[in-house]
Amino acid sequence: MSVIEQEDVRGGKAVFKEISADDDDIQPTVIESLCMNCYENGSTRLLLTKIPFFKEIIISSFTCAHCNWSNTEIQSAGRIQDQGVTYTLRVRSKEDLNREVVKADSATTRIPELDFEIPAYTQKGSLSTIEGLLDRAAAGLEQEQPLRKATAPEVAEKIDEFIDKLKKLKDVESEFTLVIDDPSGNSFVENPHAPQKDEALTVSHYKRTPQQDVQLGIKAEEDVEEEEGEKPGNDINTLRNEVLMFNTNCPECNAPASTNMKLVQIPHFKEVIIMATNCDSCGHRTNEVKSGGATEALGTRITLHLTDPSDMSRDLLKSETCSVLIPELEFELGMAALGGKFTTLEGLLKDIKDLVVSKNPFICGDSGTSDRAEKLELFGKKIDRIIAGEMDVHIILDDPAGNSYLQNVYAPDPDPEMKVEKYERTFQQNEDLGLNDMKTEAYQDESVDS
């Protein structure tokens, strides 16, 4: 059972409650706390709540009646995500400064043009805007300036010059880059053009290193050292003939659950690994597909022209490296957004609608605007029309790793409505897949020579 579903023994109420204007029951918890500014006693208010379509958070606000000092912060109360995330934003106009940002305390913030970095765990988590992040960074640098001017005037002068450069970024006289790298996966940068692709924002997911797992408290240093020393050797025939089961936690309520894994051969394609998780506590079910083979020598682009409602029943394998495009809707779903999936074309479109419309955290509450909500509602209706066969569109699966598949109902003959293209990957695509620095041939000989 998740924290949200657990009941408080004293009151019989949920610990985390969704924010609602009609609920007078939501009251913060007030705790007497020491003020770190004047060292008198102040008060901290804690509110355990849930942002609709996002996750559980803890909002804390401190105020001191003696010196009037105040401080606010948020902390994620949800689970650490399966993958880390990196947001790279090209700030081109003052409108970009209004983008909402959820920055976890484990996130690192960088501005390459200024060679400026805010390391992880040096700031508390915050729900702010790009402009708010810049103001907070400048305020942090200004905090110790009086002491520096008295003890190290030259250093203080250089920091003043840097603070001026940081503040001038808000004028957006020239483009600059903002990078937020969060190994916990709990940070977020708003896309104001949703559901269309944001040309200025790049989102990439990655697998955490063992050292990052240690920093997040997921693993102990001793366990990482033991794992690095082990050299496991799995029998591939065992994977082909058996359904393997291992223990995990439910991604919805974090209760103990079991995941089944099976190696499956897809006709006219290749072997894939299907993993399915079923939670007995909340009933949540999820499945994920990973390629069972190597990265192909060429990328694959599959274009299907939808001409009949029966196309919705085509089997589809979308790998984690595959992006989905619908040119008629000016829509693009980036890599890793929905993870790996083995489903039908109708199932993929429904998942896209849920991700963009139903589970979008920025269309409700204080973050929502009527224009944005209407735009996303219209997009959802267009997806429904595509599923019903009322719109003439093309679906494009672009996988630089070549591990995605769309069923050819005319197999082994060519499909007149489907076009499969093989292409050479660009340097950047190889970089994203980690292939540029990968060496699998003659490395033993080089190590002997060295």
Side-chain angles (χ1 to χ4, degrees):
M1 183 177 294
S2 69
V3 179
I4 304 175
E5 294 170 337
Q6 291 176 358
E7 293 188 350
D8 190 283
V9 177
R10 295 168 296 177
K13 299 179 181 179
V15 176
F16 289 84
K17 301 185 68 174
E18 292 190 6
I19 297 176
S20 173
D22 300 327
D23 195 344
D24 298 330
D25 242 1
I26 302 179
Q27 297 294 334
T29 302
V30 181
I31 303 174
E32 187 175 357
S33 307
L34 178 67
C35 176
M36 301 307 297
N37 188 47
C38 67
Y39 298 103
E40 297 287 344
N41 283 341
S43 59
T44 298
R45 288 173 170 80
L46 297 176
L47 180 62
L48 282 64
T49 187
K50 179 184 179 184
I51 298 178
F53 307 106
F54 189 46
K55 59 184 64 177
E56 308 86 21
I57 63 170
I58 301 174
I59 303 175
S60 63
S61 174
F62 175 82
T63 56
C64 177
H66 300 278
C67 65
N68 296 324
W69 188 71
S70 62
N71 182 36
T72 61
E73 66 178 78
I74 70 166
Q75 293 181 351
S76 173
R79 60 188 295 271
I80 294 176
Q81 304 304 309
D82 296 330
Q83 292 182 316
V85 64
T86 300
Y87 290 90
T88 304
L89 174 66
R90 292 292 300 171
V91 180
R92 301 171 178 174
S93 63
K94 290 188 177 182
E95 286 74 15
D96 288 330
L97 298 177
N98 296 326
R99 292 174 183 249
E100 294 180 341
V101 178
V102 177
K103 177 184 172 297
D105 53 3
S106 58
T108 299
T109 305
R110 296 192 299 272
I111 302 177
E113 288 80 0
L114 298 183
D115 197 18
F116 176 67
E117 177 176 320
I118 303 175
Y121 303 105
T122 57
Q123 289 184 348
K124 297 296 184 180
S126 63
L127 173 60
S128 181
T129 61
I130 302 296
E131 183 177 4
L133 288 181
L134 296 177
D135 288 338
R136 189 178 184 186
L141 292 174
E142 291 175 340
Q143 189 173 4
E144 300 294 332
Q145 277 299 86
L147 179 60
R148 294 191 191 101
K149 289 179 180 179
T151 58
E154 295 180 359
V155 176
E157 184 179 354
K158 292 180 180 179
I159 293 180
D160 279 335
E161 294 176 359
F162 186 83
I163 292 174
D164 291 337
K165 293 180 181 179
L166 199 60
K167 290 181 177 179
K168 285 181 179 179
L169 291 181
K170 295 193 296 183
D171 298 330
V172 198
E173 296 178 355
S174 60
E175 294 184 7
F176 67 91
T177 307
L178 180 73
V179 181
I180 296 179
D181 186 355
D182 183 10
S184 73
N186 285 328
S187 294
F188 189 87
V189 177
E190 178 190 9
N191 172 11
H193 308 293
Q196 279 76 31
K197 178 183 177 182
D198 191 340
E199 298 294 340
L201 181 64
T202 303
V203 184
S204 59
H205 296 77
Y206 61 88
K207 184 178 180 181
R208 284 186 294 270
T209 64
Q211 289 72 24
Q212 289 174 326
D213 285 337
V214 172
Q215 290 178 346
L216 294 172
I218 301 176
K219 295 181 179 179
E221 292 186 12
E222 294 79 6
D223 296 337
V224 172
E225 292 175 358
E226 291 178 3
E227 291 178 3
E228 291 178 348
E230 294 176 354
K231 296 181 179 179
N234 293 326
D235 186 0
I236 191 66
N237 293 322
T238 302
L239 294 176
R240 288 194 180 100
N241 299 325
E242 294 183 8
V243 177
L244 303 182
M245 179 181 295
F246 54 92
N247 296 327
T248 183
N249 287 344
C250 173
E252 187 69 21
C253 70
N254 209 32
S258 60
T259 295
N260 296 329
M261 183 177 72
K262 181 72 169 68
L263 195 62
V264 178
Q265 175 69 45
I266 297 180
H268 309 290
F269 190 52
K270 61 173 69 174
E271 286 181 327
V272 297
I273 299 174
I274 299 180
M275 295 185 292
T277 302
N278 184 16
C279 179
D280 295 331
S281 298
C282 66
H284 178 75
R285 295 184 178 182
T286 182
N287 66 79
E288 186 176 1
V289 177
K290 294 185 180 295
S291 173
T295 300
E296 296 294 321
L298 298 174
T300 302
R301 184 181 294 107
I302 305 173
T303 304
L304 175 65
H305 182 202
L306 300 181
T307 58
D308 191 88
S310 62
D311 288 330
M312 292 295 107
S313 61
R314 291 178 184 247
D315 289 334
L316 178 145
L317 171 65
K318 175 194 173 298
S319 73
E320 291 181 332
T321 57
C322 179
S323 58
V324 182
L325 298 88
I326 307 177
E328 289 78 5
L329 301 186
E330 297 182 355
F331 173 78
E332 178 175 348
L333 182 72
M335 296 192 305
L338 286 174
K341 283 188 174 294
F342 184 52
T343 179
T344 62
L345 191 55
E346 180 180 3
L348 178 66
L349 292 174
K350 287 183 176 179
D351 288 340
I352 290 175
K353 179 183 175 183
D354 290 341
L355 177 67
V356 175
V357 182
S358 302
K359 299 180 180 179
N360 193 325
F362 291 105
I363 64 171
C364 57
D366 296 336
S367 302
T369 62
S370 58
D371 293 341
R372 186 184 305 166
E374 291 175 1
K375 185 190 301 183
L376 293 177
E377 183 178 0
L378 178 61
F379 176 81
K381 291 181 179 179
K382 289 181 179 179
I383 293 293
D384 291 336
R385 290 182 59 195
I386 294 175
I387 295 175
E390 300 174 359
M391 285 189 68
D392 186 12
V393 299
H394 294 76
I395 302 292
I396 302 176
L397 303 179
D398 190 349
D399 187 359
N403 288 326
S404 294
Y405 161 84
L406 183 60
Q407 182 185 12
N408 174 7
V409 294
Y410 297 90
D413 297 324
D415 190 330
E417 301 300 333
M418 187 169 70
K419 181 180 179 182
V420 181
E421 303 171 84
K422 298 290 184 178
Y423 63 91
E424 290 281 349
R425 285 186 290 269
T426 64
F427 178 88
Q428 185 59 46
Q429 287 174 324
N430 283 328
E431 187 73 13
D432 294 337
L433 295 174
L435 300 177
N436 289 332
D437 299 324
M438 184 180 295
K439 186 173 181 62
T440 59
E441 298 178 0
Y443 66 92
Q444 291 181 338
D445 296 337
E446 291 182 3
S447 62
V448 172
D449 295 339
S450 60

